[in-house]
mmCIF file with all atom_site columns, all heavy atoms in Angstrom:
data_model
loop_
_atom_site.group_PDB
_atom_site.id
_atom_site.type_symbol
_atom_site.label_atom_id
_atom_site.label_alt_id
_atom_site.label_comp_id
_atom_site.label_asym_id
_atom_site.label_entity_id
_atom_site.label_seq_id
_atom_site.pdbx_PDB_ins_code
_atom_site.Cartn_x
_atom_site.Cartn_y
_atom_site.Cartn_z
_atom_site.occupancy
_atom_site.B_iso_or_equiv
_atom_site.pdbx_formal_charge
_atom_site.auth_seq_id
_atom_site.auth_comp_id
_atom_site.auth_asym_id
_atom_site.auth_atom_id
_atom_site.pdbx_PDB_model_num
ATOM 1  N N   . ALA A 1 90 ? 14.949 15.128 -10.329 1.00 0.00 ? 90 ALA A N   1
ATOM 2  C CA  . ALA A 1 90 ? 15.499 16.489 -10.430 1.00 0.00 ? 90 ALA A CA  1
ATOM 3  C C   . ALA A 1 90 ? 16.573 16.802 -9.366  1.00 0.00 ? 90 ALA A C   1
ATOM 4  O O   . ALA A 1 90 ? 17.392 17.678 -9.557  1.00 0.00 ? 90 ALA A O   1
ATOM 5  C CB  . ALA A 1 90 ? 14.367 17.501 -10.347 1.00 0.00 ? 90 ALA A CB  1
ATOM 6  N N   . ASP A 1 91 ? 16.535 16.095 -8.242  1.00 0.00 ? 91 ASP A N   1
ATOM 7  C CA  . ASP A 1 91 ? 17.358 16.540 -7.100  1.00 0.00 ? 91 ASP A CA  1
ATOM 8  C C   . ASP A 1 91 ? 18.728 15.849 -7.086  1.00 0.00 ? 91 ASP A C   1
ATOM 9  O O   . ASP A 1 91 ? 18.851 14.712 -6.658  1.00 0.00 ? 91 ASP A O   1
ATOM 10 C CB  . ASP A 1 91 ? 16.589 16.245 -5.811  1.00 0.00 ? 91 ASP A CB  1
ATOM 11 C CG  . ASP A 1 91 ? 17.277 16.817 -4.603  1.00 0.00 ? 91 ASP A CG  1
ATOM 12 O OD1 . ASP A 1 91 ? 18.439 17.275 -4.746  1.00 0.00 ? 91 ASP A OD1 1
ATOM 13 O OD2 . ASP A 1 91 ? 16.671 16.820 -3.536  1.00 0.00 ? 91 ASP A OD2 1
ATOM 14 N N   . PRO A 1 92 ? 19.777 16.548 -7.492  1.00 0.00 ? 92 PRO A N   1
ATOM 15 C CA  . PRO A 1 92 ? 21.094 15.913 -7.551  1.00 0.00 ? 92 PRO A CA  1
ATOM 16 C C   . PRO A 1 92 ? 21.658 15.588 -6.162  1.00 0.00 ? 92 PRO A C   1
ATOM 17 O O   . PRO A 1 92 ? 22.520 14.711 -6.044  1.00 0.00 ? 92 PRO A O   1
ATOM 18 C CB  . PRO A 1 92 ? 21.968 16.962 -8.277  1.00 0.00 ? 92 PRO A CB  1
ATOM 19 C CG  . PRO A 1 92 ? 21.247 18.252 -8.120  1.00 0.00 ? 92 PRO A CG  1
ATOM 20 C CD  . PRO A 1 92 ? 19.814 17.962 -7.924  1.00 0.00 ? 92 PRO A CD  1
ATOM 21 N N   . THR A 1 93 ? 21.132 16.245 -5.112  1.00 0.00 ? 93 THR A N   1
ATOM 22 C CA  . THR A 1 93 ? 21.677 15.948 -3.781  1.00 0.00 ? 93 THR A CA  1
ATOM 23 C C   . THR A 1 93 ? 21.283 14.554 -3.288  1.00 0.00 ? 93 THR A C   1
ATOM 24 O O   . THR A 1 93 ? 21.820 14.050 -2.296  1.00 0.00 ? 93 THR A O   1
ATOM 25 C CB  . THR A 1 93 ? 21.185 16.969 -2.731  1.00 0.00 ? 93 THR A CB  1
ATOM 26 O OG1 . THR A 1 93 ? 19.770 16.833 -2.630  1.00 0.00 ? 93 THR A OG1 1
ATOM 27 C CG2 . THR A 1 93 ? 21.528 18.394 -3.144  1.00 0.00 ? 93 THR A CG2 1
ATOM 28 N N   . LEU A 1 94 ? 20.334 13.931 -4.006  1.00 0.00 ? 94 LEU A N   1
ATOM 29 C CA  . LEU A 1 94 ? 19.917 12.599 -3.571  1.00 0.00 ? 94 LEU A CA  1
ATOM 30 C C   . LEU A 1 94 ? 20.880 11.504 -4.029  1.00 0.00 ? 94 LEU A C   1
ATOM 31 O O   . LEU A 1 94 ? 20.859 10.378 -3.511  1.00 0.00 ? 94 LEU A O   1
ATOM 32 C CB  . LEU A 1 94 ? 18.505 12.294 -4.122  1.00 0.00 ? 94 LEU A CB  1
ATOM 33 C CG  . LEU A 1 94 ? 17.387 13.150 -3.545  1.00 0.00 ? 94 LEU A CG  1
ATOM 34 C CD1 . LEU A 1 94 ? 16.061 12.782 -4.173  1.00 0.00 ? 94 LEU A CD1 1
ATOM 35 C CD2 . LEU A 1 94 ? 17.300 12.996 -2.032  1.00 0.00 ? 94 LEU A CD2 1
ATOM 36 N N   . VAL A 1 95 ? 21.729 11.869 -4.973  1.00 0.00 ? 95 VAL A N   1
ATOM 37 C CA  . VAL A 1 95 ? 22.641 10.837 -5.506  1.00 0.00 ? 95 VAL A CA  1
ATOM 38 C C   . VAL A 1 95 ? 23.555 10.331 -4.380  1.00 0.00 ? 95 VAL A C   1
ATOM 39 O O   . VAL A 1 95 ? 24.166 11.095 -3.659  1.00 0.00 ? 95 VAL A O   1
ATOM 40 C CB  . VAL A 1 95 ? 23.497 11.424 -6.671  1.00 0.00 ? 95 VAL A CB  1
ATOM 41 C CG1 . VAL A 1 95 ? 24.538 10.425 -7.137  1.00 0.00 ? 95 VAL A CG1 1
ATOM 42 C CG2 . VAL A 1 95 ? 22.603 11.827 -7.806  1.00 0.00 ? 95 VAL A CG2 1
ATOM 43 N N   . GLY A 1 96 ? 23.599 9.039  -4.241  1.00 0.00 ? 96 GLY A N   1
ATOM 44 C CA  . GLY A 1 96 ? 24.418 8.415  -3.190  1.00 0.00 ? 96 GLY A CA  1
ATOM 45 C C   . GLY A 1 96 ? 23.728 8.371  -1.857  1.00 0.00 ? 96 GLY A C   1
ATOM 46 O O   . GLY A 1 96 ? 24.198 7.712  -0.915  1.00 0.00 ? 96 GLY A O   1
ATOM 47 N N   . ARG A 1 97 ? 22.566 9.053  -1.710  1.00 0.00 ? 97 ARG A N   1
ATOM 48 C CA  . ARG A 1 97 ? 21.869 9.043  -0.431  1.00 0.00 ? 97 ARG A CA  1
ATOM 49 C C   . ARG A 1 97 ? 20.816 7.974  -0.363  1.00 0.00 ? 97 ARG A C   1
ATOM 50 O O   . ARG A 1 97 ? 20.261 7.724  0.706   1.00 0.00 ? 97 ARG A O   1
ATOM 51 C CB  . ARG A 1 97 ? 21.179 10.398 -0.189  1.00 0.00 ? 97 ARG A CB  1
ATOM 52 C CG  . ARG A 1 97 ? 22.144 11.547 0.107   1.00 0.00 ? 97 ARG A CG  1
ATOM 53 C CD  . ARG A 1 97 ? 21.352 12.743 0.597   1.00 0.00 ? 97 ARG A CD  1
ATOM 54 N NE  . ARG A 1 97 ? 20.521 12.358 1.719   1.00 0.00 ? 97 ARG A NE  1
ATOM 55 C CZ  . ARG A 1 97 ? 19.315 12.848 1.993   1.00 0.00 ? 97 ARG A CZ  1
ATOM 56 N NH1 . ARG A 1 97 ? 18.788 13.777 1.232   1.00 0.00 ? 97 ARG A NH1 1
ATOM 57 N NH2 . ARG A 1 97 ? 18.627 12.420 3.043   1.00 0.00 ? 97 ARG A NH2 1
ATOM 58 N N   . ILE A 1 98 ? 20.460 7.384  -1.503  1.00 0.00 ? 98 ILE A N   1
ATOM 59 C CA  . ILE A 1 98 ? 19.354 6.400  -1.504  1.00 0.00 ? 98 ILE A CA  1
ATOM 60 C C   . ILE A 1 98 ? 19.842 5.122  -2.159  1.00 0.00 ? 98 ILE A C   1
ATOM 61 O O   . ILE A 1 98 ? 20.510 5.148  -3.215  1.00 0.00 ? 98 ILE A O   1
ATOM 62 C CB  . ILE A 1 98 ? 18.145 6.911  -2.339  1.00 0.00 ? 98 ILE A CB  1
ATOM 63 C CG1 . ILE A 1 98 ? 17.706 8.286  -1.836  1.00 0.00 ? 98 ILE A CG1 1
ATOM 64 C CG2 . ILE A 1 98 ? 17.004 5.919  -2.246  1.00 0.00 ? 98 ILE A CG2 1
ATOM 65 C CD1 . ILE A 1 98 ? 16.529 8.851  -2.621  1.00 0.00 ? 98 ILE A CD1 1
ATOM 66 N N   . GLU A 1 99 ? 19.565 4.014  -1.521  1.00 0.00 ? 99 GLU A N   1
ATOM 67 C CA  . GLU A 1 99 ? 19.847 2.714  -2.148  1.00 0.00 ? 99 GLU A CA  1
ATOM 68 C C   . GLU A 1 99 ? 18.636 1.821  -1.878  1.00 0.00 ? 99 GLU A C   1
ATOM 69 O O   . GLU A 1 99 ? 17.878 2.071  -0.938  1.00 0.00 ? 99 GLU A O   1
ATOM 70 C CB  . GLU A 1 99 ? 21.140 2.131  -1.569  1.00 0.00 ? 99 GLU A CB  1
ATOM 71 C CG  . GLU A 1 99 ? 21.645 0.902  -2.270  1.00 0.00 ? 99 GLU A CG  1
ATOM 72 C CD  . GLU A 1 99 ? 21.776 1.059  -3.790  1.00 0.00 ? 99 GLU A CD  1
ATOM 73 O OE1 . GLU A 1 99 ? 20.716 0.990  -4.479  1.00 0.00 ? 99 GLU A OE1 1
ATOM 74 O OE2 . GLU A 1 99 ? 22.898 1.197  -4.276  1.00 0.00 ? 99 GLU A OE2 1
#
Side-chain angles (χ1 to χ4, degrees):
D91 188 349
T93 64
L94 294 179
V95 174
R97 289 192 54 213
I98 307 179
E99 189 51 283

